[in-house]
Amino acid sequence: MRSYNPDLTPPWKKSAPVPEVPADPDLVVEEVSTGFCGAVIRCEAGTVTLEDRFGKHRVFPLEPRGFLLEGRVVTLVRPVSAPARPTRTASGSVAVPGARARVARAGRIYVEGRHDAELVERVWGDDLRIEGVVVEYLEGVDDLPAIVAEFGPGPDARLGVLVDHLVPGSKESRIAAQVTSPDVLVVGHPYIDVWEAVKPSALGIPAWPVVPRGQDWKTGVCRALGWPSDNTGAVWQAILKRVTSYKDLEPELLGRVEELIDFVTAP
């Protein structure tokens, strides 16, 4: 027998319907619970990002009756029109519609972990495919000298390595110093984890929290921000979805990845 669940709410208690408005770029609205007023700069599945007149970004869920438009309550929805074909890739390079991936070069770019590789793919994936550059992850750099020796770099097979927390005196800097081949370039960013290379504004947070030494950094960050700390992999996927272009990343990472791509693809 088919179940039937009638709506027993009295008519006088039902909320009046409100208009649905597409969250088109530059539409200025106010979020009802916080009073945050700004222009739409991004709309994804389930969320909208607003920018106020001071340049501050906030991310809000697309909830029914969640916004005010010219003083009227509305429900924002994703625009239905198909977006125009981008003229630039996520890295800012000129897009080449219909370009075919180049056969993979002998050279490679190594990064420390899966999250690093996914972030590089997110922003530079189109560029890397056109150039034929493959990115692989190492699960740490403790064995980097041996990994480089096994790779066997040469003038026609250059190797680029991106290292987390490459600052003077760190363990990572001491390991990197052991790699001396002219056909290998080891560069790094100052962040403990590549998560930190994502701008806080892209996530709607004021800043990345400071995690005391001795604590797992990802777990500490999740607890400080109220994110689920028992599944950092899922949290990372949510972070990654907020990255839509190079503008969402810190320059300390941008410059290093561009440097590695140039090194590996140089004639």
Side-chain angles (χ1 to χ4, degrees):
M1 181 181 296
R2 179 180 298 176
S3 61
Y4 175 59
N5 296 309
D7 183 2
L8 302 181
T9 306
W12 61 86
K13 288 190 176 181
K14 293 183 179 180
S15 300
V18 299
E20 293 187 347
V21 177
D24 293 320
D26 298 326
L27 179 73
V28 178
V29 293
E30 178 182 338
E31 202 276 331
V32 295
S33 63
T34 64
F36 186 90
C37 183
V40 174
I41 61 170
R42 184 182 307 122
C43 185
E44 299 175 319
T47 65
V48 62
T49 303
L50 304 182
E51 180 181 56
D52 69 8
R53 61 192 182 94
F54 302 107
K56 182 179 180 181
H57 292 186
R58 289 282 299 274
V59 180
F60 297 102
L62 289 175
E63 295 182 344
R65 308 174 65 89
F67 299 87
L68 296 176
L69 175 62
E70 297 180 349
R72 298 173 54 205
V73 177
V74 299
T75 296
L76 287 188
V77 296
R78 292 189 71 183
V80 295
S81 58
R85 175 176 291 177
T87 56
R88 291 189 176 273
T89 67
S91 71
S93 301
V94 176
V96 184
R100 309 181 82 180
R102 175 174 174 168
V103 175
R105 295 174 182 266
R108 291 287 188 275
I109 291 177
Y110 286 166
V111 297
E112 283 207 43
R114 181 186 296 273
H115 294 180
D116 306 69
E118 290 175 340
L119 187 59
V120 169
E121 163 62 26
R122 181 81 171 182
V123 176
W124 290 274
D126 291 338
D127 303 27
L128 293 168
R129 278 182 284 278
I130 290 175
E131 295 290 349
V133 177
V134 175
V135 175
E136 300 179 10
Y137 65 92
L138 303 173
E139 292 291 3
V141 294
D142 289 352
D143 299 322
L144 182 60
I147 292 171
V148 170
E150 182 179 359
F151 178 82
D156 297 325
R158 291 183 168 185
L159 179 62
V161 184
L162 180 68
V163 178
D164 296 344
H165 199 224
L166 190 62
V167 296
S170 68
K171 176 193 74 173
E172 290 82 0
S173 66
R174 292 192 293 272
I175 294 173
Q178 300 175 40
V179 178
T180 58
S181 169
D183 299 307
V184 180
L185 176 64
V186 181
V187 299
H189 56 74
Y191 307 115
I192 295 175
D193 191 279
V194 78
W195 287 23
E196 241 184 330
V198 178
K199 289 182 177 178
S201 59
L203 307 176
I205 60 176
W208 286 102
V210 176
V211 178
R213 292 176 63 88
Q215 291 188 21
D216 178 73
W217 190 85
K218 290 188 179 75
T219 302
V221 163
C222 290
R223 288 173 178 167
L225 294 174
W227 296 344
S229 60
D230 59 344
N231 192 345
T232 56
V235 172
W236 166 246
Q237 291 305 315
I239 293 172
L240 192 62
K241 288 180 180 179
R242 302 292 186 198
V243 178
T244 60
S245 78
Y246 71 97
K247 296 179 181 179
D248 295 321
L249 301 182
E250 299 289 359
E252 288 83 355
L253 175 68
L254 292 173
R256 302 296 74 76
V257 175
E258 297 285 354
E259 191 176 352
L260 290 177
I261 294 174
D262 289 345
F263 178 79
V264 173
T265 59

